[in-house]
C-alpha cells in the first residue's frame, strides 16, 4: 500500500530537506554549477552532506552517472579526488571544463580576445548552414554562432569556449521564453509569454549571449578556483557504465542514476551536439524518456542499472559505501542492488524543493546507502 502523506513526512530527513529560504537558488548554483543548464542534477549541498555523512574518510570518489559533474566538483571542494563516467559527450565536456585547473590569466586573455573578434564580425551568413541551424535560429543568430565556432581552434581553452557557445546556442533558439527546457518545435513570430506576462518575440541574435556567458563563465571558474583543494584531481570517462574498465580502487560512490521515462539526456542538449559535432551515443542511455515506461522498458532499465552497479562494485575497496539518490517510486532498487551484489544498509527520504522550472508539485527523493 502506498504510504500516506503523513507517513512520508514522518520518515523525512529534515536536515536534507531544504526550503527555498534555507537554500536559495544563488547557493544551489554557486560557482561552476551554473556554467550551463542541465536538467536532472542534484544540488551540491546534498552531495556535500552525503560525502560528510557516509564517506567521511573517502579520498577518491566515483560517480558512474556523473551528468553535469556535481559529485566531482563537490569532491574537489572537500579535498578528494573524483572520477566521473557519463555516456553523453556533452556532459563529459561540461564536467571537464568545470573540474580542470585552468590557467586563469590565459583563460581571461583568450575569452576577451574571442569577444573582440566577435564584435568585429559583420554578420555575414554562414556559407553552409545546416538544416538544424536553419530551422532553430534566426539568420543573424546562426551566423554569430557559426562565426564564434570558427574561432575555437585558435585557443588553448577551446573547451571553455565550447561550453560558452553551447549555452548561448541554448538561449538563442527560436523558442518561447518559458519553454527553453523542452522546446518541441521552432517558434517564429510573436506570442503571449507566461513568464514575462506580455507579448514577446523569439530571439534573433546570439552575440549578446556569447558576451554575457563568456564573462559569467570566467567569473564562475575564478570563484571555484578559490575554493577547490590544491592537488586534487577529477578524471572524466566518456562511456557506458555497464562496460567501461573502471580504474579504481575507489573509496566510495555518490551518484544519481537516470530513472525510467523521465529525461532524454542527449536530446536536452541537442543544439550542442549539432553545433560542436559531438558523438551521439543515445542508444546506450539507460531509461531514456523516449523509450517510455512500458514493462519492457522498465525491465531493460533494471537489467542495465544492475549491470552498471555490478561493474562499479568490482572497482571498489572493501566496505566502500555506495550512496544512491533516486526517486524510486517503482521500488526497483532493492532488486537492482541485490543483482549488483550490493546490500542495502540504510534508506531515507528527503523533500525536494522544486521552485524552479515548470515542474511543480510535491517531490521526494530516496537516499539509499549500500555496500
Ligand atoms: C540523473 S543524471 C546525473 C546527474 C548528476 N547527478 C548531476 O548532478 O549532474 C544521470 C546521468 O546518467 C547518464 N547515463 C545514462 N545512461 C548511462 C550509461 N549507460 N552509462 C553512463 N552514464 C549514463 C546520463 O547521460 C545522465 O547524465
Amino acid at each position: 500500500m502506498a504510504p500516506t502523506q503523513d507517513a512520508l513526512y514522518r520518515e523525512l530527513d529534515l536536515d536534507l530537506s531544504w526550503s527555498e529560504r534555507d537554500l536559495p537558488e544563488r547557493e544551489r548554483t554557486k560557482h561552476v554549477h551554473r556554467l550551463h543548464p542541465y536538467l536532472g542534477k542534484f544540488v551540491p549541498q546534498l552531495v556535500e552532506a552525503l560525502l560528510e555523512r557516509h564517506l567521511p574518510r573517502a579520498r577518491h570518489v566515483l560517480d558512474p552517472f556523473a551528468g553535469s559533474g556535481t559529485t566531482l566538483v563537490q569532491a574537489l571542494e572537500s579535498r578528494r579526488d573524483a572520477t566521473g563516467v557519463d555516456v553523453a559527450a556533452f556532459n563529459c565536456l561540461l564536467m571537464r571544463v568545470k573540474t580542470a585547473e585552468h590557467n586563469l590569466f590565459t583563460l581571461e586573455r583568450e575569452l576577451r580576445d574571442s569577444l573582440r573578434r566577435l564584435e568585429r564580425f559583420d554578420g555575414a551568413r554562414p556559407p553552409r548552414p545546416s538544416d538544424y541551424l536553419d530551422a532553430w535560429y534566426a539568420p543573424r543568430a546562426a551566423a554569430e554562432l557559426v562565426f564564434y565556432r570558427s574561432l575555437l581552434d585558435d585557443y588553448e581553452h577551446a573547451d571553455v569556449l565550447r561550453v560558452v557557445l553551447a549555452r548561448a546556442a541554448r538561449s538563442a533558439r527560436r523558442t518561447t521564453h518559458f519553454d527553453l527546457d523542452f522546446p518541441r518545435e521552432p517558434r517564429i513570430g510573436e506570442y503571449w509569454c507566461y513568464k514575462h506576462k506580455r507579448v514577446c518575440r523569439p530571439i534573433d541574435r546570439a552575440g549578446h549571449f556569447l558576451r554575457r556567458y563568456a564573462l559569467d563563465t570566467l567569473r564562475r571558474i575564478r570563484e571555484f578556483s578559490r575554493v577547490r583543494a590544491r592537488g586534487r584531481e577529477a578524471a572524466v570517462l566518456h562511456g557506458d557504465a555497464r562496460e567501461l574498465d573502471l580504474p579504481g580502487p575507489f573509496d566510495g560512490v555518490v551518484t544519481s542514476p537516470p530513472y525510467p521515462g523521465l529525461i532524454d539526456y542527449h536530446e536536452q542538449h541537442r543544439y550542442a551536439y549539432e553545433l560542436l559535432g559531438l558523438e551521439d551515443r543515445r542508444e546506450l542511455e539507460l531509461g531514456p524518456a523516449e523509450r517510455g515506461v512500458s514493462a519492457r522498458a522498465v525491465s531493460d532499465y533494471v537489467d542495465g542499472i544492475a549491470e552498471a552497479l555490478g561493474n562499479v562494485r568490482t572497482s571498489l575497496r572493501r566496505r566502500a559505501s555506495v550512496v544512491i539518490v533516486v526517486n524510486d517510486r517503482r521500488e526497483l532498487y532493492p532488486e537492482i542492488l541485490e543483482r549488483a551484489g550490493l546490500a542495502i544498509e540504510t534508506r531515507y527520504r528527503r523533500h525536494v524543493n522544486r521552485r524552479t522550472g515548470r515542474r511543480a508539485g510535491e517531490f521526494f527523493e530516496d537516499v539509499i546507502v549500500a555496500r
Side-chain angles (χ1 to χ4, degrees), residues 316-335:
L316 300 179
R317 284 191 200 283
R318 245 170 64 79
R319 310 277 311 144
S321 291
V322 177
V323 182
I324 296 172
V325 179
V326 68
N327 173 354
D328 188 19
R329 60 179 171 278
R330 292 187 183 81
E331 281 291 324
L332 305 174
Y333 273 74
E335 179 191 336

Side-chain angles (χ1 to χ4, degrees), residues 38 40-42 65 67-68 70 86-87 91 240-241 256 265 284 286:
Y38 175 100
K41 63 169 127 194
F42 42 26
F65 302 105
S68 68
T70 313
D86 206 283
V87 76
N91 301 354
D240 185 339
S256 62
Y265 285 96
L284 297 175
L286 294 169

Side-chain angles (χ1 to χ4, degrees), residues 343-360:
I344 297 186
E345 197 153 81
T346 170
R347 179 172 184 152
Y348 50 92
R349 183 161 282 179
R350 75 180 205 100
H351 179 252
V352 182
N353 164 25
R354 297 212 297 183
R355 199 188 64 94
T356 54
R358 289 203 295 147
R359 302 176 300 165

